[in-house]
Amino acid sequence: MFRANLTACADAVQDHLNAQLNGYGDTPVVQAMRYTLQGGKRMRAFLVMESARLFDVPHDRSIWPATGIEAIHAYSLVHDDLPCMDDDDLRRGRPTLHKKWDEATAVLAGDALQTFGYELTLSPKTGDAEVRAHLALALAQAAGAQGMVLGQALDIAAETATAPLTLDEITELQQGKTGALISYSARAGAIMAKADDRPLADYARAVGLAFQIADDILDIEGDPEKAGKRLNKDEAAGKATFVSLLGMDTAKHRAKSLIQDACDAISQYGPKAENLRDLANFVISRDS
Amino acid sequence: MFRANLTACADAVQDHLNAQLNGYGDTPVVQAMRYTLQGGKRMRAFLVMESARLFDVPHDRSIWPATGIEAIHAYSLVHDDLPCMDDDDLRRGRPTLHKKWDEATAVLAGDALQTFGYELTLSPKTGDAEVRAHLALALAQAAGAQGMVLGQALDIAAETATAPLTLDEITELQQGKTGALISYSARAGAIMAKADDRPLADYARAVGLAFQIADDILDIEGDPEKAGKRLNKDEAAGKATFVSLLGMDTAKHRAKSLIQDACDAISQYGPKAENLRDLANFVISRDS
């Protein structure tokens, strides 16, 4: 049931992104934006739409910030894959953008995807001005130099550091690099409903950390074909990960206990939060 | 008098940007953001603050979107200078960001500067939620794949095109690459005051085009030391420019007549618009 719900959300997100990119013309940059916006689990969009559903915010409002966060996520992947960053050739089983086009197109398409994320989020169809301004500001705070980009900067710094990162440092890195957007996505529904977003922030903190631990586990135990990307990167680069620091068994145990924390944080929402509980469990059981 | 006003605005913008970047920590990415946000004429910020003054919007509100647009402009310069784009070593008389740091830091700092631009614009101190949501959406529309990035994409495409661009194509390119942000900046005051932004849009269209024509003239007649950047780039690359298409005399005449159009468009604002008229004249008389 959960898999079907996630797929239905991904399909709705894809349709909406395609429709919104129509009328943007057909320059190579827009073609590259379309290419990048194909596929993916759409976990962040699902978080937006499911947290919105807790407060009865309708689908045709929440689809706007849901697609907005996917555009922001897509921009970060495109720039992260660049030769001067992670230098990856493969993403979701397909050539990365700078391999299929070129670096200039990848820089520009990433830039335009970030802008597109704000444009979607700020659509008048998202809600009243208070909701739109609040969402967009929360998104900027999550994406910027105190959120996602901070995490990426710490990640780059770690590559040339003399000592491997400690558990605290890896946790800070993760909270920026993947945690900040996950937190924004989970809080988005409460922001749209002008409700208290703290329970969802607690949920997201645990899910985000579990997600990163699961990623580190997948990097070692995963199947590259299913993952659609290069694996064993961190191990090969001698980078500290949750697995290298905690050991595989403790890492798996820690991920499970975080999922319990996440489910506890949203217990007040009852049966309506079932999809969010299922998502938390999915995060540590996925194979890609 | 005008020069003093422009300098006073630039100083206020610099102080505000420095103050807002405090507390962002001191990672290389934030150091690079600070470096990039030093200097510049601050013409876009001046447009925001002077258009706001027409409607008696106070300085301590307009400084937020004024610094926001300068952050967006700065991001576009950082990414434009990258080796895979224009590959420039010098900007405002100093090494470009990827020369002083490295490409990864330049990509990330540019990304974070774009985010920072939205964060500043969406500050609760800018105005009520309606104003902030309207401004940020207008900014995204101006900066994205139908605005500035479209212009940059057309510029890249022109480099590999078999025939030089026509006057219409160069005008479209300019309206995206520099015109869209200039238009947003000039309209920002009216948006903040919830007033009709059409006279300022007309003003900006003429000023933006005159600005690009003046840039093309400077690229040939300018002093590289005063300009603080490489000149004769377009001529060396065999690119069509307003000067190559119109001839130098006609280009200068056209720029002057556009400035008259710009001043006519804002005649209704009387003496309050004196700085905007002066700015229009400055655009075609500057030496950098």
Side-chain angles (χ1 to χ4, degrees), chain A residues 23 75 79 84 104 111 114-115 118 140 146 152, chain B residues 23 75 79 84 104 108 111 114-115 118 140 146 152:
Chain A
Y75 118 68
H79 283 185
C84 67
D111 289 344
Q114 177 170 186
T115 319
Y118 290 99
Q146 293 186 299
Q152 288 172 311
Chain B
Y75 119 68
H79 282 184
C84 67
L108 281 179
D111 289 344
Q114 177 169 187
T115 318
Y118 290 100
Q146 293 186 299
Q152 289 172 310

mmCIF file with all atom_site columns, all heavy atoms in Angstrom, chain A residues 23 75 79 84 104 111 114-115 118 140 146 152, chain B residues 23 75 79 84 104 108 111 114-115 118 140 146 152:
data_model
loop_
_atom_site.group_PDB
_atom_site.id
_atom_site.type_symbol
_atom_site.label_atom_id
_atom_site.label_alt_id
_atom_site.label_comp_id
_atom_site.label_asym_id
_atom_site.label_entity_id
_atom_site.label_seq_id
_atom_site.pdbx_PDB_ins_code
_atom_site.Cartn_x
_atom_site.Cartn_y
_atom_site.Cartn_z
_atom_site.occupancy
_atom_site.B_iso_or_equiv
_atom_site.pdbx_formal_charge
_atom_site.auth_seq_id
_atom_site.auth_comp_id
_atom_site.auth_asym_id
_atom_site.auth_atom_id
_atom_site.pdbx_PDB_model_num
ATOM 1   N N   . GLY A 1 23  ? 6.122  25.740 -21.922 1.00 0.00 ? 23  GLY A N   1
ATOM 2   C CA  . GLY A 1 23  ? 6.073  27.194 -22.050 1.00 0.00 ? 23  GLY A CA  1
ATOM 3   C C   . GLY A 1 23  ? 7.370  27.845 -21.627 1.00 0.00 ? 23  GLY A C   1
ATOM 4   O O   . GLY A 1 23  ? 7.512  29.063 -21.678 1.00 0.00 ? 23  GLY A O   1
ATOM 5   N N   . TYR A 1 75  ? 18.476 20.537 -8.346  1.00 0.00 ? 75  TYR A N   1
ATOM 6   C CA  . TYR A 1 75  ? 19.596 21.465 -8.574  1.00 0.00 ? 75  TYR A CA  1
ATOM 7   C C   . TYR A 1 75  ? 20.818 21.008 -7.788  1.00 0.00 ? 75  TYR A C   1
ATOM 8   O O   . TYR A 1 75  ? 21.949 21.019 -8.297  1.00 0.00 ? 75  TYR A O   1
ATOM 9   C CB  . TYR A 1 75  ? 19.194 22.913 -8.223  1.00 0.00 ? 75  TYR A CB  1
ATOM 10  C CG  . TYR A 1 75  ? 19.988 23.565 -7.107  1.00 0.00 ? 75  TYR A CG  1
ATOM 11  C CD1 . TYR A 1 75  ? 21.348 23.889 -7.290  1.00 0.00 ? 75  TYR A CD1 1
ATOM 12  C CD2 . TYR A 1 75  ? 19.430 23.852 -5.863  1.00 0.00 ? 75  TYR A CD2 1
ATOM 13  C CE1 . TYR A 1 75  ? 22.093 24.455 -6.248  1.00 0.00 ? 75  TYR A CE1 1
ATOM 14  C CE2 . TYR A 1 75  ? 20.158 24.416 -4.844  1.00 0.00 ? 75  TYR A CE2 1
ATOM 15  C CZ  . TYR A 1 75  ? 21.491 24.714 -5.040  1.00 0.00 ? 75  TYR A CZ  1
ATOM 16  O OH  . TYR A 1 75  ? 22.226 25.260 -4.028  1.00 0.00 ? 75  TYR A OH  1
ATOM 17  N N   . HIS A 1 79  ? 24.616 20.028 -9.475  1.00 0.00 ? 79  HIS A N   1
ATOM 18  C CA  . HIS A 1 79  ? 25.869 20.701 -9.136  1.00 0.00 ? 79  HIS A CA  1
ATOM 19  C C   . HIS A 1 79  ? 26.815 19.768 -8.368  1.00 0.00 ? 79  HIS A C   1
ATOM 20  O O   . HIS A 1 79  ? 28.023 19.828 -8.541  1.00 0.00 ? 79  HIS A O   1
ATOM 21  C CB  . HIS A 1 79  ? 25.582 21.995 -8.358  1.00 0.00 ? 79  HIS A CB  1
ATOM 22  C CG  . HIS A 1 79  ? 25.119 23.117 -9.239  1.00 0.00 ? 79  HIS A CG  1
ATOM 23  N ND1 . HIS A 1 79  ? 24.893 24.390 -8.791  1.00 0.00 ? 79  HIS A ND1 1
ATOM 24  C CD2 . HIS A 1 79  ? 24.863 23.157 -10.565 1.00 0.00 ? 79  HIS A CD2 1
ATOM 25  C CE1 . HIS A 1 79  ? 24.502 25.163 -9.801  1.00 0.00 ? 79  HIS A CE1 1
ATOM 26  N NE2 . HIS A 1 79  ? 24.457 24.429 -10.875 1.00 0.00 ? 79  HIS A NE2 1
ATOM 27  N N   . CYS A 1 84  ? 34.135 19.325 -10.789 1.00 0.00 ? 84  CYS A N   1
ATOM 28  C CA  . CYS A 1 84  ? 34.869 19.991 -9.705  1.00 0.00 ? 84  CYS A CA  1
ATOM 29  C C   . CYS A 1 84  ? 34.310 19.628 -8.330  1.00 0.00 ? 84  CYS A C   1
ATOM 30  O O   . CYS A 1 84  ? 34.909 19.955 -7.306  1.00 0.00 ? 84  CYS A O   1
ATOM 31  C CB  . CYS A 1 84  ? 34.862 21.509 -9.899  1.00 0.00 ? 84  CYS A CB  1
ATOM 32  S SG  . CYS A 1 84  ? 33.225 22.257 -9.708  1.00 0.00 ? 84  CYS A SG  1
ATOM 33  N N   . ALA A 1 104 ? 28.876 23.772 -18.793 1.00 0.00 ? 104 ALA A N   1
ATOM 34  C CA  . ALA A 1 104 ? 28.200 25.075 -18.770 1.00 0.00 ? 104 ALA A CA  1
ATOM 35  C C   . ALA A 1 104 ? 26.691 24.879 -18.649 1.00 0.00 ? 104 ALA A C   1
ATOM 36  O O   . ALA A 1 104 ? 26.016 25.557 -17.856 1.00 0.00 ? 104 ALA A O   1
ATOM 37  C CB  . ALA A 1 104 ? 28.537 25.870 -20.028 1.00 0.00 ? 104 ALA A CB  1
ATOM 38  N N   . ASP A 1 111 ? 21.367 26.207 -11.748 1.00 0.00 ? 111 ASP A N   1
ATOM 39  C CA  . ASP A 1 111 ? 20.968 27.545 -11.297 1.00 0.00 ? 111 ASP A CA  1
ATOM 40  C C   . ASP A 1 111 ? 19.477 27.789 -11.547 1.00 0.00 ? 111 ASP A C   1
ATOM 41  O O   . ASP A 1 111 ? 18.761 28.291 -10.684 1.00 0.00 ? 111 ASP A O   1
ATOM 42  C CB  . ASP A 1 111 ? 21.779 28.615 -12.038 1.00 0.00 ? 111 ASP A CB  1
ATOM 43  C CG  . ASP A 1 111 ? 23.238 28.646 -11.602 1.00 0.00 ? 111 ASP A CG  1
ATOM 44  O OD1 . ASP A 1 111 ? 23.552 28.076 -10.538 1.00 0.00 ? 111 ASP A OD1 1
ATOM 45  O OD2 . ASP A 1 111 ? 24.057 29.248 -12.321 1.00 0.00 ? 111 ASP A OD2 1
ATOM 46  N N   . GLN A 1 114 ? 17.201 25.867 -9.226  1.00 0.00 ? 114 GLN A N   1
ATOM 47  C CA  . GLN A 1 114 ? 17.026 26.494 -7.907  1.00 0.00 ? 114 GLN A CA  1
ATOM 48  C C   . GLN A 1 114 ? 15.958 27.595 -7.990  1.00 0.00 ? 114 GLN A C   1
ATOM 49  O O   . GLN A 1 114 ? 15.021 27.629 -7.195  1.00 0.00 ? 114 GLN A O   1
ATOM 50  C CB  . GLN A 1 114 ? 18.342 27.071 -7.357  1.00 0.00 ? 114 GLN A CB  1
ATOM 51  C CG  . GLN A 1 114 ? 18.091 27.770 -6.028  1.00 0.00 ? 114 GLN A CG  1
ATOM 52  C CD  . GLN A 1 114 ? 19.304 28.196 -5.204  1.00 0.00 ? 114 GLN A CD  1
ATOM 53  O OE1 . GLN A 1 114 ? 19.105 28.657 -4.088  1.00 0.00 ? 114 GLN A OE1 1
ATOM 54  N NE2 . GLN A 1 114 ? 20.518 28.063 -5.687  1.00 0.00 ? 114 GLN A NE2 1
ATOM 55  N N   . THR A 1 115 ? 16.088 28.455 -8.989  1.00 0.00 ? 115 THR A N   1
ATOM 56  C CA  . THR A 1 115 ? 15.104 29.528 -9.164  1.00 0.00 ? 115 THR A CA  1
ATOM 57  C C   . THR A 1 115 ? 13.702 28.951 -9.338  1.00 0.00 ? 115 THR A C   1
ATOM 58  O O   . THR A 1 115 ? 12.730 29.460 -8.759  1.00 0.00 ? 115 THR A O   1
ATOM 59  C CB  . THR A 1 115 ? 15.447 30.356 -10.416 1.00 0.00 ? 115 THR A CB  1
ATOM 60  O OG1 . THR A 1 115 ? 16.846 30.562 -10.477 1.00 0.00 ? 115 THR A OG1 1
ATOM 61  C CG2 . THR A 1 115 ? 14.737 31.689 -10.384 1.00 0.00 ? 115 THR A CG2 1
ATOM 62  N N   . TYR A 1 118 ? 11.849 28.104 -6.171  1.00 0.00 ? 118 TYR A N   1
ATOM 63  C CA  . TYR A 1 118 ? 11.186 29.229 -5.494  1.00 0.00 ? 118 TYR A CA  1
ATOM 64  C C   . TYR A 1 118 ? 9.927  29.644 -6.244  1.00 0.00 ? 118 TYR A C   1
ATOM 65  O O   . TYR A 1 118 ? 8.913  29.971 -5.639  1.00 0.00 ? 118 TYR A O   1
ATOM 66  C CB  . TYR A 1 118 ? 12.146 30.415 -5.336  1.00 0.00 ? 118 TYR A CB  1
ATOM 67  C CG  . TYR A 1 118 ? 13.219 30.101 -4.330  1.00 0.00 ? 118 TYR A CG  1
ATOM 68  C CD1 . TYR A 1 118 ? 14.484 29.695 -4.714  1.00 0.00 ? 118 TYR A CD1 1
ATOM 69  C CD2 . TYR A 1 118 ? 12.930 30.146 -2.962  1.00 0.00 ? 118 TYR A CD2 1
ATOM 70  C CE1 . TYR A 1 118 ? 15.453 29.350 -3.785  1.00 0.00 ? 118 TYR A CE1 1
ATOM 71  C CE2 . TYR A 1 118 ? 13.890 29.802 -2.026  1.00 0.00 ? 118 TYR A CE2 1
ATOM 72  C CZ  . TYR A 1 118 ? 15.150 29.406 -2.456  1.00 0.00 ? 118 TYR A CZ  1
ATOM 73  O OH  . TYR A 1 118 ? 16.090 29.053 -1.517  1.00 0.00 ? 118 TYR A OH  1
ATOM 74  N N   . ALA A 1 140 ? 14.559 28.856 1.868   1.00 0.00 ? 140 ALA A N   1
ATOM 75  C CA  . ALA A 1 140 ? 15.857 29.520 1.669   1.00 0.00 ? 140 ALA A CA  1
ATOM 76  C C   . ALA A 1 140 ? 16.780 29.239 2.852   1.00 0.00 ? 140 ALA A C   1
ATOM 77  O O   . ALA A 1 140 ? 17.973 28.985 2.680   1.00 0.00 ? 140 ALA A O   1
ATOM 78  C CB  . ALA A 1 140 ? 15.662 31.021 1.470   1.00 0.00 ? 140 ALA A CB  1
ATOM 79  N N   . GLN A 1 146 ? 23.616 28.181 5.662   1.00 0.00 ? 146 GLN A N   1
ATOM 80  C CA  . GLN A 1 146 ? 23.482 27.664 7.023   1.00 0.00 ? 146 GLN A CA  1
ATOM 81  C C   . GLN A 1 146 ? 22.742 26.324 7.029   1.00 0.00 ? 146 GLN A C   1
ATOM 82  O O   . GLN A 1 146 ? 22.446 25.789 8.081   1.00 0.00 ? 146 GLN A O   1
ATOM 83  C CB  . GLN A 1 146 ? 22.737 28.682 7.899   1.00 0.00 ? 146 GLN A CB  1
ATOM 84  C CG  . GLN A 1 146 ? 23.558 29.948 8.093   1.00 0.00 ? 146 GLN A CG  1
ATOM 85  C CD  . GLN A 1 146 ? 22.912 30.909 9.061   1.00 0.00 ? 146 GLN A CD  1
ATOM 86  O OE1 . GLN A 1 146 ? 21.802 31.384 8.828   1.00 0.00 ? 146 GLN A OE1 1
ATOM 87  N NE2 . GLN A 1 146 ? 23.589 31.198 10.159  1.00 0.00 ? 146 GLN A NE2 1
ATOM 88  N N   . GLN A 1 152 ? 27.365 20.735 2.319   1.00 0.00 ? 152 GLN A N   1
ATOM 89  C CA  . GLN A 1 152 ? 28.229 20.428 1.170   1.00 0.00 ? 152 GLN A CA  1
ATOM 90  C C   . GLN A 1 152 ? 29.630 20.993 1.380   1.00 0.00 ? 152 GLN A C   1
ATOM 91  O O   . GLN A 1 152 ? 30.617 20.370 1.013   1.00 0.00 ? 152 GLN A O   1
ATOM 92  C CB  . GLN A 1 152 ? 27.602 20.977 -0.108  1.00 0.00 ? 152 GLN A CB  1
ATOM 93  C CG  . GLN A 1 152 ? 26.370 20.161 -0.516  1.00 0.00 ? 152 GLN A CG  1
ATOM 94  C CD  . GLN A 1 152 ? 25.619 20.783 -1.670  1.00 0.00 ? 152 GLN A CD  1
ATOM 95  O OE1 . GLN A 1 152 ? 25.322 21.976 -1.640  1.00 0.00 ? 152 GLN A OE1 1
ATOM 96  N NE2 . GLN A 1 152 ? 25.295 19.987 -2.671  1.00 0.00 ? 152 GLN A NE2 1
ATOM 97  N N   . GLY B 1 23  ? 27.451 35.706 11.500  1.00 0.00 ? 23  GLY B N   1
ATOM 98  C CA  . GLY B 1 23  ? 26.629 34.634 12.061  1.00 0.00 ? 23  GLY B CA  1
ATOM 99  C C   . GLY B 1 23  ? 26.442 33.499 11.074  1.00 0.00 ? 23  GLY B C   1
ATOM 100 O O   . GLY B 1 23  ? 25.797 32.499 11.384  1.00 0.00 ? 23  GLY B O   1
ATOM 101 N N   . TYR B 1 75  ? 25.800 36.193 -7.510  1.00 0.00 ? 75  TYR B N   1
ATOM 102 C CA  . TYR B 1 75  ? 25.813 34.763 -7.856  1.00 0.00 ? 75  TYR B CA  1
ATOM 103 C C   . TYR B 1 75  ? 26.006 34.592 -9.361  1.00 0.00 ? 75  TYR B C   1
ATOM 104 O O   . TYR B 1 75  ? 26.778 33.738 -9.812  1.00 0.00 ? 75  TYR B O   1
ATOM 105 C CB  . TYR B 1 75  ? 24.534 34.061 -7.366  1.00 0.00 ? 75  TYR B CB  1
ATOM 106 C CG  . TYR B 1 75  ? 23.681 33.432 -8.438  1.00 0.00 ? 75  TYR B CG  1
ATOM 107 C CD1 . TYR B 1 75  ? 24.124 32.319 -9.166  1.00 0.00 ? 75  TYR B CD1 1
ATOM 108 C CD2 . TYR B 1 75  ? 22.409 33.941 -8.762  1.00 0.00 ? 75  TYR B CD2 1
ATOM 109 C CE1 . TYR B 1 75  ? 23.341 31.753 -10.171 1.00 0.00 ? 75  TYR B CE1 1
ATOM 110 C CE2 . TYR B 1 75  ? 21.630 33.390 -9.755  1.00 0.00 ? 75  TYR B CE2 1
ATOM 111 C CZ  . TYR B 1 75  ? 22.097 32.298 -10.457 1.00 0.00 ? 75  TYR B CZ  1
ATOM 112 O OH  . TYR B 1 75  ? 21.340 31.749 -11.467 1.00 0.00 ? 75  TYR B OH  1
ATOM 113 N N   . HIS B 1 79  ? 29.220 32.493 -11.211 1.00 0.00 ? 79  HIS B N   1
ATOM 114 C CA  . HIS B 1 79  ? 29.049 31.339 -12.104 1.00 0.00 ? 79  HIS B CA  1
ATOM 115 C C   . HIS B 1 79  ? 29.427 31.698 -13.543 1.00 0.00 ? 79  HIS B C   1
ATOM 116 O O   . HIS B 1 79  ? 29.974 30.860 -14.269 1.00 0.00 ? 79  HIS B O   1
ATOM 117 C CB  . HIS B 1 79  ? 27.610 30.811 -12.011 1.00 0.00 ? 79  HIS B CB  1
ATOM 118 C CG  . HIS B 1 79  ? 27.366 29.994 -10.780 1.00 0.00 ? 79  HIS B CG  1
ATOM 119 N ND1 . HIS B 1 79  ? 26.190 29.343 -10.516 1.00 0.00 ? 79  HIS B ND1 1
ATOM 120 C CD2 . HIS B 1 79  ? 28.178 29.711 -9.716  1.00 0.00 ? 79  HIS B CD2 1
ATOM 121 C CE1 . HIS B 1 79  ? 26.276 28.692 -9.355  1.00 0.00 ? 79  HIS B CE1 1
ATOM 122 N NE2 . HIS B 1 79  ? 27.463 28.917 -8.850  1.00 0.00 ? 79  HIS B NE2 1
ATOM 123 N N   . CYS B 1 84  ? 34.162 26.829 -17.243 1.00 0.00 ? 84  CYS B N   1
ATOM 124 C CA  . CYS B 1 84  ? 33.274 26.240 -18.251 1.00 0.00 ? 84  CYS B CA  1
ATOM 125 C C   . CYS B 1 84  ? 32.330 27.269 -18.861 1.00 0.00 ? 84  CYS B C   1
ATOM 126 O O   . CYS B 1 84  ? 31.633 26.976 -19.834 1.00 0.00 ? 84  CYS B O   1
ATOM 127 C CB  . CYS B 1 84  ? 32.471 25.082 -17.655 1.00 0.00 ? 84  CYS B CB  1
ATOM 128 S SG  . CYS B 1 84  ? 31.285 25.583 -16.392 1.00 0.00 ? 84  CYS B SG  1
ATOM 129 N N   . ALA B 1 104 ? 35.080 24.298 -7.028  1.00 0.00 ? 104 ALA B N   1
ATOM 130 C CA  . ALA B 1 104 ? 34.012 23.760 -6.172  1.00 0.00 ? 104 ALA B CA  1
ATOM 131 C C   . ALA B 1 104 ? 33.474 24.862 -5.253  1.00 0.00 ? 104 ALA B C   1
ATOM 132 O O   . ALA B 1 104 ? 32.262 25.021 -5.090  1.00 0.00 ? 104 ALA B O   1
ATOM 133 C CB  . ALA B 1 104 ? 34.533 22.580 -5.350  1.00 0.00 ? 104 ALA B CB  1
ATOM 134 N N   . LEU B 1 108 ? 29.615 26.402 -5.188  1.00 0.00 ? 108 LEU B N   1
ATOM 135 C CA  . LEU B 1 108 ? 28.828 26.418 -3.950  1.00 0.00 ? 108 LEU B CA  1
ATOM 136 C C   . LEU B 1 108 ? 28.535 27.834 -3.470  1.00 0.00 ? 108 LEU B C   1
ATOM 137 O O   . LEU B 1 108 ? 27.419 28.125 -3.023  1.00 0.00 ? 108 LEU B O   1
ATOM 138 C CB  . LEU B 1 108 ? 29.568 25.657 -2.847  1.00 0.00 ? 108 LEU B CB  1
ATOM 139 C CG  . LEU B 1 108 ? 29.474 24.135 -2.890  1.00 0.00 ? 108 LEU B CG  1
ATOM 140 C CD1 . LEU B 1 108 ? 30.283 23.533 -1.752  1.00 0.00 ? 108 LEU B CD1 1
ATOM 141 C CD2 . LEU B 1 108 ? 28.018 23.677 -2.814  1.00 0.00 ? 108 LEU B CD2 1
ATOM 142 N N   . ASP B 1 111 ? 25.831 29.242 -5.584  1.00 0.00 ? 111 ASP B N   1
ATOM 143 C CA  . ASP B 1 111 ? 24.549 28.640 -5.192  1.00 0.00 ? 111 ASP B CA  1
ATOM 144 C C   . ASP B 1 111 ? 24.016 29.284 -3.912  1.00 0.00 ? 111 ASP B C   1
ATOM 145 O O   . ASP B 1 111 ? 22.831 29.617 -3.811  1.00 0.00 ? 111 ASP B O   1
ATOM 146 C CB  . ASP B 1 111 ? 24.730 27.136 -4.948  1.00 0.00 ? 111 ASP B CB  1
ATOM 147 C CG  . ASP B 1 111 ? 24.956 26.363 -6.245  1.00 0.00 ? 111 ASP B CG  1
ATOM 148 O OD1 . ASP B 1 111 ? 24.686 26.918 -7.323  1.00 0.00 ? 111 ASP B OD1 1
ATOM 149 O OD2 . ASP B 1 111 ? 25.409 25.203 -6.168  1.00 0.00 ? 111 ASP B OD2 1
ATOM 150 N N   . GLN B 1 114 ? 22.690 32.792 -4.412  1.00 0.00 ? 114 GLN B N   1
ATOM 151 C CA  . GLN B 1 114 ? 21.322 32.845 -4.949  1.00 0.00 ? 114 GLN B CA  1
ATOM 152 C C   . GLN B 1 114 ? 20.317 32.661 -3.809  1.00 0.00 ? 114 GLN B C   1
ATOM 153 O O   . GLN B 1 114 ? 19.379 33.440 -3.649  1.00 0.00 ? 114 GLN B O   1
ATOM 154 C CB  . GLN B 1 114 ? 21.093 31.797 -6.046  1.00 0.00 ? 114 GLN B CB  1
ATOM 155 C CG  . GLN B 1 114 ? 19.647 31.834 -6.509  1.00 0.00 ? 114 GLN B CG  1
ATOM 156 C CD  . GLN B 1 114 ? 19.257 31.051 -7.766  1.00 0.00 ? 114 GLN B CD  1
ATOM 157 O OE1 . GLN B 1 114 ? 18.133 31.182 -8.210  1.00 0.00 ? 114 GLN B OE1 1
ATOM 158 N NE2 . GLN B 1 114 ? 20.148 30.268 -8.349  1.00 0.00 ? 114 GLN B NE2 1
ATOM 159 N N   . THR B 1 115 ? 20.529 31.641 -2.991  1.00 0.00 ? 115 THR B N   1
ATOM 160 C CA  . THR B 1 115 ? 19.634 31.389 -1.862  1.00 0.00 ? 115 THR B CA  1
ATOM 161 C C   . THR B 1 115 ? 19.566 32.609 -0.947  1.00 0.00 ? 115 THR B C   1
ATOM 162 O O   . THR B 1 115 ? 18.486 33.012 -0.490  1.00 0.00 ? 115 THR B O   1
ATOM 163 C CB  . THR B 1 115 ? 20.137 30.186 -1.040  1.00 0.00 ? 115 THR B CB  1
ATOM 164 O OG1 . THR B 1 115 ? 20.574 29.164 -1.928  1.00 0.00 ? 115 THR B OG1 1
ATOM 165 C CG2 . THR B 1 115 ? 19.047 29.649 -0.144  1.00 0.00 ? 115 THR B CG2 1
ATOM 166 N N   . TYR B 1 118 ? 17.168 35.342 -1.949  1.00 0.00 ? 118 TYR B N   1
ATOM 167 C CA  . TYR B 1 118 ? 15.760 35.127 -1.579  1.00 0.00 ? 118 TYR B CA  1
ATOM 168 C C   . TYR B 1 118 ? 15.551 35.348 -0.090  1.00 0.00 ? 118 TYR B C   1
ATOM 169 O O   . TYR B 1 118 ? 14.538 35.904 0.333   1.00 0.00 ? 118 TYR B O   1
ATOM 170 C CB  . TYR B 1 118 ? 15.302 33.722 -1.998  1.00 0.00 ? 118 TYR B CB  1
ATOM 171 C CG  . TYR B 1 118 ? 15.187 33.608 -3.496  1.00 0.00 ? 118 TYR B CG  1
ATOM 172 C CD1 . TYR B 1 118 ? 16.183 33.014 -4.250  1.00 0.00 ? 118 TYR B CD1 1
ATOM 173 C CD2 . TYR B 1 118 ? 14.108 34.173 -4.162  1.00 0.00 ? 118 TYR B CD2 1
ATOM 174 C CE1 . TYR B 1 118 ? 16.109 32.960 -5.626  1.00 0.00 ? 118 TYR B CE1 1
ATOM 175 C CE2 . TYR B 1 118 ? 14.020 34.130 -5.538  1.00 0.00 ? 118 TYR B CE2 1
ATOM 176 C CZ  . TYR B 1 118 ? 15.030 33.523 -6.263  1.00 0.00 ? 118 TYR B CZ  1
ATOM 177 O OH  . TYR B 1 118 ? 14.961 33.490 -7.632  1.00 0.00 ? 118 TYR B OH  1
ATOM 178 N N   . ALA B 1 140 ? 12.124 35.601 -8.802  1.00 0.00 ? 140 ALA B N   1
ATOM 179 C CA  . ALA B 1 140 ? 12.345 34.272 -9.382  1.00 0.00 ? 140 ALA B CA  1
ATOM 180 C C   . ALA B 1 140 ? 12.030 34.279 -10.876 1.00 0.00 ? 140 ALA B C   1
ATOM 181 O O   . ALA B 1 140 ? 12.759 33.684 -11.680 1.00 0.00 ? 140 ALA B O   1
ATOM 182 C CB  . ALA B 1 140 ? 11.494 33.228 -8.652  1.00 0.00 ? 140 ALA B CB  1
ATOM 183 N N   . GLN B 1 146 ? 13.320 31.786 -17.812 1.00 0.00 ? 146 GLN B N   1
ATOM 184 C CA  . GLN B 1 146 ? 12.625 32.661 -18.754 1.00 0.00 ? 146 GLN B CA  1
ATOM 185 C C   . GLN B 1 146 ? 13.159 34.087 -18.648 1.00 0.00 ? 146 GLN B C   1
ATOM 186 O O   . GLN B 1 146 ? 12.645 35.001 -19.271 1.00 0.00 ? 146 GLN B O   1
ATOM 187 C CB  . GLN B 1 146 ? 11.116 32.637 -18.485 1.00 0.00 ? 146 GLN B CB  1
ATOM 188 C CG  . GLN B 1 146 ? 10.510 31.284 -18.808 1.00 0.00 ? 146 GLN B CG  1
ATOM 189 C CD  . GLN B 1 146 ? 8.999  31.270 -18.680 1.00 0.00 ? 146 GLN B CD  1
ATOM 190 O OE1 . GLN B 1 146 ? 8.442  31.516 -17.612 1.00 0.00 ? 146 GLN B OE1 1
ATOM 191 N NE2 . GLN B 1 146 ? 8.320  30.995 -19.777 1.00 0.00 ? 146 GLN B NE2 1
ATOM 192 N N   . GLN B 1 152 ? 21.589 33.955 -20.550 1.00 0.00 ? 152 GLN B N   1
ATOM 193 C CA  . GLN B 1 152 ? 22.898 33.299 -20.498 1.00 0.00 ? 152 GLN B CA  1
ATOM 194 C C   . GLN B 1 152 ? 22.935 32.086 -21.432 1.00 0.00 ? 152 GLN B C   1
ATOM 195 O O   . GLN B 1 152 ? 23.950 31.822 -22.073 1.00 0.00 ? 152 GLN B O   1
ATOM 196 C CB  . GLN B 1 152 ? 23.229 32.892 -19.063 1.00 0.00 ? 152 GLN B CB  1
ATOM 197 C CG  . GLN B 1 152 ? 23.539 34.115 -18.192 1.00 0.00 ? 152 GLN B CG  1
ATOM 198 C CD  . GLN B 1 152 ? 23.689 33.753 -16.736 1.00 0.00 ? 152 GLN B CD  1
ATOM 199 O OE1 . GLN B 1 152 ? 22.826 33.079 -16.193 1.00 0.00 ? 152 GLN B OE1 1
ATOM 200 N NE2 . GLN B 1 152 ? 24.753 34.211 -16.108 1.00 0.00 ? 152 GLN B NE2 1
#
